[in-house]
């Protein structure tokens, strides 16, 4: 546990959140969206009605906690969620957000995740640890501590910073350390350091890598807490895909999925069939490492981790026609928006891409209602569209639609009861 880290988050809980906003909107993201974690860690088969124990480790101001607790409440599922953070100030905000939403079943704790193995807590089915491990002096020790309190068939959603996508951040941090060290004592306060950071940002030459990095925007726009988190952090490091895989392995875990999957697929960026052909034999990890080097803008890595040997079986697949496809709630209008369109625009972290819309996407997505199985969707779509009448014609069309929208993190699978 590092005191400067605790001090920073006591002073500037991150991300800055106003509990009153809970009356207006639910912040949803990754990891820990319920559809996502069920799909990638429980093969879509987790029956939440029979209890679910989750830990939000380094829960900060509560984004993942609130989303997960609200999703479980919306499903009417009794869950136990433990929230843990070093910062009492962050906890206060998270607690108030939960109170505004009338979320119960949450135990709030203040302390270090390194102490978890000694706390006598029952094992957790799921652990969220988002943006925390890279702030520990020894991230591997942190992940090992989390793994000790994970149920044997449980899994984790983890986010750590991405090295290439943060190009320019660490030279800027180093410059600010130099400026602080050279400053008189009164100019070493967090407020004075923030002012210095803002001054320096304004003067960066056009060739400076931070200035040239289009992926770094949200922290810069995030007010004091965001700027401090990005440029003045007492302790942070970033990971390449290969280093993240090594970190997972050190704790006996493996990557079940990278989120969003399309960003970790070289085929999302390349059109040359010859180049793509050479990548066909690579496994998911090697393809992800290649995609990271290719895109250059992955400033954070979000992964679902399962115990070694369990990752393949943990992920839901569209091979079984009883599986039920489910769209993220905010995708409801997708089918209508896709009608007569051949491509979708995706803009993220400085990159604009056009994703081809597979044939029959509008019909197939339009038939997804969260209850129909793949077989039911075939019946519904086949009854209206002659070209999809036979299973042999429908299944490849479904698979293409599934692949595209699952990659975009819009479409998931679950078993009927879950
Ligand atoms: C960048 S914030 C992320 C908060 C939250 N997980 C999110 O994604 O919005 C990092 C959080 O980790 C907490 N933290 C850092 N080291 C910790 C430790 N050893 N044990 C528990 N929490 C820790 C900090 O207090 C801070 O609230």
């Amino acid at each position: 546990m590092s005191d400067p880290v605790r001090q920073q988050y006591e002073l500037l809980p991150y991300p800055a959140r106003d509990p009153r906003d809970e009356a207006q909107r639910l912040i949803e993201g990754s990891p820990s969206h319920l559809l996502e974690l069920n799909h990638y860690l429980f093969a879509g088969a987790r029956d939440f009605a029979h209890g679910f124990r989750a830990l939000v480790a380094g829960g900060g101001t509560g984004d993942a906690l609130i989303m997960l607790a609200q999703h479980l409440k919306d499903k009417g599922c009794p869950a136990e969620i433990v929230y843990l953070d070093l910062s009492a100030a962050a906890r206060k905000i998270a607690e108030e957000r939960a109170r505004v939403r009338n979320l119960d079943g949450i135990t709030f704790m203040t302390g270090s995740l390194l102490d978890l193995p000694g706390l006598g807590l029952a094992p957790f089915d799921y652990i969220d640890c988002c943006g925390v491990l890279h702030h520990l002096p020894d991230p591997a020790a942190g992940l090992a501590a989390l793994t000790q309190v994970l149920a044997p068939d449980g899994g984790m959603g983890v986010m750590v910073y991405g090295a290439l996508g943060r190009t320019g951040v660490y030279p800027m941090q180093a410059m600010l350390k130099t400026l602080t060290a050279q400053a008189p004592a009164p100019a070493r306060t967090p407020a004075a350091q923030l002012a210095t950071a803002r001054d320096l940002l304004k003067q960066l030459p056009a060739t400076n890598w931070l200035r040239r990095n289009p992926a770094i925007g949200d922290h810069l726009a995030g007010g004091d807490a965001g700027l401090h988190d990005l440029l003045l952090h007492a302790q942070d490091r970033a990971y390449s895909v290969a280093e993240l895989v090594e970190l997972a392995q050190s704790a006996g875990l493996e990557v079940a999925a990278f989120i969003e999957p399309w960003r970790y697929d070289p085929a999302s960026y390349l059109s040359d069939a010859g180049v793509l052909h050479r990548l066909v034999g690579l496994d998911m990890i090697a393809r992800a490492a290649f995609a990271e080097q290719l895109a250059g803008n992955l400033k954070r890595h979000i992964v679902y981790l399962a115990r070694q040997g369990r990752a393949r079986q943990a992920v839901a697949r569209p091979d079984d026609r009883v599986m039920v496809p489910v769209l993220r709630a905010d995708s409801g209008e997708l089918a209508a928006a896709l009608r007569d369109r051949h491509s979708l625009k995706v803009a993220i972290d400085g990159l604009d891409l056009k994703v081809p819309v597979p044939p029959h996407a509008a019909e197939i997505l339009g038939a997804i209602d969260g209850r129909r199985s793949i077989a039911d969707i075939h019946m519904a779509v086949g009854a209206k569209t002659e070209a999809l009448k036979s299973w042999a014609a429908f299944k490849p069309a479904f698979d293409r639609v599934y692949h595209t929208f699952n990659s975009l993190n819009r479409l998931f699978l679950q078993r009927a009861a879950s």
Side-chain angles (χ1 to χ4, degrees):
M1 182 172 65
S2 148
D3 270 339
V5 172
R6 183 202 294 258
Q7 277 164 22
Q8 169 178 336
Y9 289 111
E10 289 296 2
L11 189 68
L12 294 165
Y14 182 81
R17 296 287 181 239
D18 182 343
R20 287 171 299 186
D21 293 340
E22 294 312 313
Q24 320 296 331
R25 52 92 188 100
L26 175 66
I27 294 177
E28 294 186 286
S30 302
S32 302
H33 191 289
L34 201 63
L35 290 175
E36 224 178 83
L37 72 87
N38 190 16
H39 179 108
Y40 289 112
L41 292 173
F42 300 103
R46 179 80 205 192
D47 185 352
F48 296 99
H50 283 99
F52 187 61
R53 269 181 64 77
L55 166 69
V56 185
T61 48
D63 282 2
L65 171 81
I66 299 298
M67 172 177 68
L68 188 53
Q70 186 67 56
H71 285 175
L72 287 159
K73 182 180 173 183
D74 293 346
K75 273 179 96 68
C77 293
E80 296 167 67
I81 308 183
V82 173
Y83 161 104
L84 174 73
D85 200 284
L86 274 185
S87 157
R91 165 184 167 168
K92 204 166 161 238
I93 295 167
E95 271 183 308
E96 182 57 12
R97 291 175 75 183
R99 194 196 61 75
V100 171
R101 286 184 171 274
N102 286 319
L103 298 171
D104 45 25
I106 305 172
T107 305
F108 287 91
M109 300 177 72
T110 300
S112 172
L113 61 83
L114 293 170
D115 298 329
L116 276 163
L119 295 182
L121 302 169
F124 294 97
D125 302 306
Y126 176 68
I127 298 176
D128 170 284
C129 190
C130 180
V132 184
L133 292 174
H134 51 229
H135 294 313
L136 301 186
D138 182 356
L143 192 59
L146 294 177
T147 309
Q148 281 191 58
V149 295
L150 182 70
D153 57 353
M156 293 189 206
V158 167
M159 184 278 272
V160 293
Y161 289 145
L164 263 182
R166 280 170 69 87
T167 295
V169 169
Y170 295 100
M172 185 75 179
Q173 286 191 2
M175 285 189 286
L176 290 170
K177 279 199 179 94
T178 303
L179 291 173
T180 302
Q182 298 303 319
R188 293 185 197 159
T189 62
Q193 287 181 300
L194 279 165
T196 306
R198 289 209 163 84
D199 280 349
L200 191 59
L201 276 174
K202 275 188 231 143
Q203 300 174 55
L204 294 177
T207 48
N208 176 275
W209 283 113
L210 184 66
R211 182 166 161 186
R212 296 178 71 175
N213 185 344
I216 304 292
D218 54 353
H219 272 77
L220 287 175
D224 284 358
L227 197 62
H228 201 286
D229 214 67
L230 182 72
L231 301 179
L232 295 162
H233 208 288
Q235 170 122 24
D236 87 58
R237 59 154 298 181
Y239 287 82
S240 67
V241 164
E243 289 166 338
L244 173 54
V245 168
E246 218 172 278
L247 174 69
Q249 281 170 350
S250 75
L253 302 170
E254 61 181 338
V255 177
F258 292 92
I259 302 297
E260 301 180 349
W262 74 270
R263 298 189 75 182
Y264 291 86
D265 182 357
S268 302
Y269 310 97
L270 299 172
S271 53
D272 184 286
V275 176
L276 280 171
H277 183 70
R278 289 199 213 167
L279 301 175
V280 166
L282 300 184
D283 64 14
M284 178 184 72
I285 303 292
R287 287 176 72 84
F290 192 98
E292 172 183 43
Q293 287 158 348
L294 185 62
N297 69 344
L298 293 164
K299 66 183 176 193
R300 55 176 80 99
H301 298 302
I302 297 169
V303 282
Y304 284 103
L305 302 176
R307 287 188 192 276
Q308 254 154 29
R310 222 190 71 79
R312 251 201 86 71
Q313 75 205 59
V315 179
R317 317 228 174 244
D319 308 338
D320 186 343
R321 59 179 93 184
V322 303
M323 295 302 282
V324 177
V326 195
L327 285 162
R328 265 184 125 101
D330 53 1
S331 311
E333 305 303 313
L334 201 58
L338 285 178
R339 219 163 275 285
D340 303 324
R341 290 202 27 199
H342 299 293
S343 63
L344 276 177
K345 275 193 201 152
V346 179
I348 188 146
D349 294 337
L351 181 70
D352 291 344
L353 274 185
K354 277 191 179 165
V355 179
V357 174
H360 304 296
E363 294 104 296
I364 291 171
L365 292 177
I368 293 175
D369 63 2
R371 288 183 300 276
R372 286 186 178 127
S373 65
I374 298 173
D376 298 335
I377 291 167
H378 171 224
M379 298 295 280
V381 172
K384 289 190 204 152
T385 307
E386 187 58 33
L388 299 176
K389 220 173 186 71
S390 73
W391 177 255
F394 168 81
K395 187 58 172 47
F398 175 83
D399 284 347
R400 287 187 65 186
V401 171
Y402 171 78
H403 176 75
T404 298
F405 291 93
N406 174 257
S407 281
L408 290 168
N409 220 25
R410 296 264 158 190
L411 182 57
F412 306 96
L413 295 169
Q414 59 185 32
R415 297 226 163 240
S418 65

